[in-house]
Amino acid sequence: MQETDQSVDFTVAAKLGLNQEEFDKICSVLGREPNFTELSVYSVMWSEHCSYKNSIKYLKTLPRDGGRLLVAAGEENAGLMDIGDGIACAFKIESHNHPSAIEPYQGAATGVGGIHRDIFTMGARPIAALNSLRFGDPNVPHMRHLIKGVVSGIGDYGNCLGVPTVGGEVYFDPCYQQNILVNAMSVGIVKIGETISACADGPGNPVFIVGSATGRDGIHGATFASADLTENSAEDLPAVQVGDPFQEKLLLEATLEIIKTGAVVGMQDMGAAGITCSTSEMSAKSGTGMRINLDLVPTRQQHMHAWEILLSESQERMLVVVHKGREKEIQAIFDKWDLECSQIGEVTDTGRLEYYRYGQKIADVPAESLVLGGGAPVYDRAYARPAYMDEIRPFTPVAPADADLTDIAKKIITSPNIASKRWIYEQYDHTVRTGNTNTNDPADATIVRLKGTDKALAVTVDCNSAYVHADPYTGAMIAVSEAARNIRCSGGIPLGVTNCLNFGNPYNPEVYYQFVHAIKGMGEACRKYETPVTGGNVSFYNQSVLRDRTEPVFPTPTIGMVGLVESRDHATTLSFKSSDDHILLLGHLPQNAHGSVYLREIVGQRLTPCPDFNLGEEYLLHEAITQLIHQHSVSSVHDVSEGGVLITLLESAMAGGKGFEIQLPAGIRKDIFLFSESQGRVVITVRPDQLAETEGWLSKQDIPFLRLGQVTSSGIRVDDLDFGDTSSWAYRYQNALSDILEQ
């Protein structure tokens, strides 16, 4: 047979997502016009999803080294932090938004599979998964379909793979009605010095493709992820990959086994852009090239075109470079695990990627010209302050201060954004590999034990996109700060950040303004907390393209953060413990309810400023929390976030099966005090015998605090108002979301 190639001009290039400038640059690099296969290779590697061409300039401004970081951002498939005892933690978060909006089950499932592969490709064993999910109105039948599909896809893949889903967040807002967001994070453990790099050193070394056979699923997935979702996007279903978690489990074990042999030079997961991406990035990193025979690639369908094989994003596949002469060792291990293992080429010293089909060279391109940080384009887009920001006004209270607080609280605690996400997380197996999981007693971050040590990891994902929408700079700082605060409240010390940056179309100046200022805010906060950004993912083009308008999603820079709990006795939960404990609120009293669920959903004021926030004060509070925990001065710790102080207290009471009585301070509206989401505040409980000492210590540290009241055995009272018993609040909280989703 002979591979036929269609003629190429700019019209063809445009259909593949390339502009005139990019097409001309390709011709210049090659010294000729590309053929269709070569043009297809450039189109995926220069897509937004692979090249970060509209974001890399600003991503480079983030703190990328320092602390316990073992590899700088972008060096490997995931970040790597030293956690002591000769152990490193590998972690990363990525998006799978567009595929999940089109085919929710497979879109979410393959997102989980892909992020886990990034972890074990480095030689780390995944021990925990988290996710950040954004949906539209759950009362709409189609949205319930998407929610159920995404949750099932995450749960089924993770459960079958044997990696527990231990934490996450879920938000609902109309801005995500057409374009949902599905961000998946994986955390793994590896011994220092036993990691594998994504490199292709050593000309003459053989190149293997291992795992599943290659099919037509996921072709042009990277391009699909770099375009707007429209009402016709369902036609792009072939761009959605199909996952097999059982195959991935075999691949995981085989991968970790071959690493132990010492026969592996380098390895990379085949994610976006498939063979094209793996061969180009590994070659460019090592300054080498590859000669690849596509006839040797195991395929699911007959007579696949060369460009289909190169661009396929079929799941559960890896590219492995092996030391020459040790091919049989690798082959034997994959045979044992009943997985495909085929030598498809070799490393060269040419710096070029040469692809062959039916004995003919069908593509020949410089590896460096394809990749991020090499020849891929870099743009600096124009940006302009969004017009809607001029409509943001401070909240001027009109309701009486003695409004029905009980009724307001009932509405807030049953809001989908506040109510328990039990219906979702109960579909995840969070007990598999129980040697690494903690108790069910909740904390602000999830605690993951490290077998064989007295240490644990504290892991979390956080972002309130409504805050970022109101003020991208401050909102992004708050996202980082909340993640750090959650880790501190759980007894950990923040180590590093991975981010998933979800925004609209970067060619929209207002969207690009959101992106640029969010990066600036994120960078400032990360530098303050000494949490380098280890890597992550940029996802543009998240917006609804309707007949009469285009509506970007709220800017959503999701923060995945890992912290270290040096001793397990530092692990701290949020549940009230004893009925005689005193309740203290740390931080300044709120002056407004800006950005709160109360204003958006109860008052109906959607556009308000960000909640009050001060980075310096926040940092001092974090340090104080850690000291209090290390001094064993607190029985419980819970930060004040969405819903305000009252929701914080209710969550702690429900978790501990207790009640509380509090007295509100004079001189402040009750609704603002109870429901404000002003930042830098934490609720702690203290035993009676430690109250005086703790308050004295807080005063010396210049940490503002207020003695609110006491934990009780049952029942809830706010001033002279009887809010009923804890169990009735728990019933509302636990069932509100399931009542909606099970309609």
Side-chain angles (χ1 to χ4, degrees), residues 726-743:
T726 305
S727 60
S728 62
W729 286 95
Y731 182 86
R732 297 184 188 98
Y733 177 73
Q734 296 288 356
N735 294 288
L737 185 58
S738 60
D739 287 346
I740 296 173
L741 296 178
E742 294 297 339
Q743 293 181 49

Side-chain angles (χ1 to χ4, degrees), residues 12 40 78 125 154 176 278 339 357 372 449 459 508 574 583 616 680 717 735:
V12 177
S40 296
R125 179 176 291 278
I154 292 172
Y176 305 111
S278 300
L339 291 168
R357 182 68 162 158
L372 166 70
R449 296 197 301 259
V459 293
N508 179 337
L574 60 84
I583 303 171
R717 292 191 68 83
N735 294 288

Side-chain angles (χ1 to χ4, degrees), residues 478-504:
I478 290 176
V480 176
S481 297
E482 183 172 2
R485 191 167 63 243
N486 283 334
I487 285 174
R488 292 280 192 168
C489 290
S490 304
I493 305 295
L495 295 180
V497 163
T498 178
N499 56 39
C500 194
L501 308 176
N502 308 272
F503 291 81

Side-chain angles (χ1 to χ4, degrees), residues 100 103-109 133 135 142-157 180 182 423 427-428:
S100 301
E103 209 303 291
Y105 184 90
Q106 289 294 349
L133 311 176
F135 300 107
H142 179 64
M143 188 54 58
R144 291 199 296 273
H145 161 73
L146 293 178
I147 295 168
K148 292 175 181 180
V150 166
V151 172
S152 295
I154 292 172
D156 288 354
Y157 202 103
I180 64 175
V182 177
W423 183 91
Q427 298 185 51
Y428 306 149

